[in-house]
């Protein structure tokens, strides 16, 4: 317990003692006390209160003052707003102003929508452009060399097939020439 709390407790004990020793009003539970003495003790208690309690009391008082000012200002604003609302309703200004504001908001929303679409198209176009570049790069790095390899392989295969055909033709011609030579020899022998 802090020194300030101990002093406040001592003042409370002193108040209790004054009340306990005070003269009683006959036929009642009321006591007669010296008001100056009690006031002095109360003042001493206030002075002895911890700073936090004094600050909390000040904050509470400020809060009450601010709330009262706010209520007063709120009441003034409400009265003024009601008068203004009545005036506007009578002159159909709310409807006209709302229509103007709605048209402006719609126009703004449409412009914003067009802007977002345009930015989206630009973004997608950039993605597609980057994709084209990547495809071109991949084609240059992988597809073209594979294509060149396949063409070379097919040309080599075609060359081998062509060589095989030539060999077959040569064999066929040799066979045909040899067959003709054999026929010619057989005819001579007959």
């Amino acid at each position: 317990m802090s020194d300030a709390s101990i002093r406040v407790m001592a003042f409370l004990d002193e108040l209790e003692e004054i009340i306990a020793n005070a003269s009683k009003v006959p036929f009642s539970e009321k006591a007669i006390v010296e008001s100056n003495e009690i006031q002095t003790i109360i003042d001493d208690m206030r002075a002895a209160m911890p700073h936090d309690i004094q600050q909390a009391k000040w904050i509470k008082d400020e809060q009450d003052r601010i709330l009262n000012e706010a209520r007063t200002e709120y009441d003034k604003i409400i009265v003024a707003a009601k008068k203004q609302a009545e005036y506007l309703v009578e002159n159909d200004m709310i409807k006209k102003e709302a229509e103007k504001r709605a048209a402006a908001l719609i126009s703004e929303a449409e412009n914003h929508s067009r802007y977002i679409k345009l930015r989206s198209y630009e973004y997608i176009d950039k993605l597609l452009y980057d994709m084209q570049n990547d495809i071109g790069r991949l084609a240059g790095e992988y597809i073209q060399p594979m294509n060149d390899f396949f063409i070379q392989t097919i040309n080599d295969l075609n060359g081998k097939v062509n060589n095989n055909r030539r060999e077959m033709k040569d064999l066929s011609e040799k066979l045909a020439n040899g067959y003709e030579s054999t026929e010619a020899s057989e005819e001579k022998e007959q």
Side-chain angles (χ1 to χ4, degrees):
M1 207 180 258
S2 69
D3 289 340
S5 298
I6 293 170
R7 284 192 305 183
V8 169
M9 294 299 288
F11 288 130
L12 288 173
D13 290 341
E14 192 176 334
L15 279 175
E16 282 181 342
E17 187 179 324
I18 289 171
I19 293 170
N21 295 332
S23 303
K24 301 284 184 209
V25 173
F27 308 109
S28 87
E29 290 295 317
K30 296 183 180 181
I32 300 173
V33 292
E34 184 67 39
S35 64
N36 289 339
E37 187 178 0
I38 299 290
Q39 188 61 49
T40 302
I41 292 172
I42 290 172
D43 291 341
D44 290 342
M45 283 176 64
R46 280 195 178 116
M49 281 186 180
H51 179 69
D52 293 344
I53 293 174
Q54 292 173 359
Q55 189 174 14
K57 183 184 178 323
W58 179 82
I59 290 171
K60 175 74 171 99
D61 292 344
E62 278 298 300
Q63 178 185 10
D64 290 342
R65 184 187 63 78
I66 291 169
L67 284 174
N68 287 334
E69 286 178 7
R71 280 189 196 105
T72 303
E73 190 63 29
Y74 169 79
D75 291 340
K76 287 179 187 175
I77 290 171
I78 292 297
V79 168
K82 284 180 181 178
K83 286 180 183 177
Q84 182 69 18
E86 289 171 4
Y87 171 77
L88 291 175
V89 168
E90 288 173 7
N91 293 308
D92 199 26
M93 291 298 290
I94 290 176
K95 182 180 176 186
K96 291 176 184 174
E97 188 62 32
E99 288 173 349
K100 282 173 48 179
R101 183 69 181 136
L105 287 173
I106 288 170
S107 175
E108 186 178 334
E110 288 172 349
N111 289 338
H112 189 68
S113 173
R114 278 193 291 277
Y115 173 77
I116 294 296
K117 284 180 185 177
L118 179 63
R119 297 296 294 163
S120 297
Y121 294 156
E122 289 173 355
Y123 177 72
I124 291 169
D125 181 56
K126 184 183 180 330
L127 288 177
L128 292 174
Y129 177 78
D130 291 342
M131 187 182 293
Q132 277 182 320
N133 288 337
D134 289 343
I135 289 171
R137 183 180 51 79
L138 288 173
E141 288 179 16
Y142 300 104
I143 304 298
Q144 189 61 44
M146 284 193 315
N147 190 35
D148 293 343
F149 173 77
F150 286 134
I151 289 172
Q152 183 63 42
T153 303
I154 288 172
N155 286 339
D156 291 347
L157 187 60
N158 194 26
K160 288 179 183 178
V161 168
N162 218 10
N163 288 338
N164 288 340
R165 281 184 66 214
R166 251 188 262 124
E167 283 180 21
M168 293 309 286
K169 280 184 181 180
D170 290 345
L171 288 174
S172 175
E173 285 176 9
K174 285 181 186 177
L175 184 63
N177 288 338
Y179 179 76
E180 288 176 3
S181 302
T182 309
E183 271 185 349
S185 306
E186 284 177 3
E187 281 180 30
K188 282 186 187 183
E189 288 177 0
Q190 284 182 9

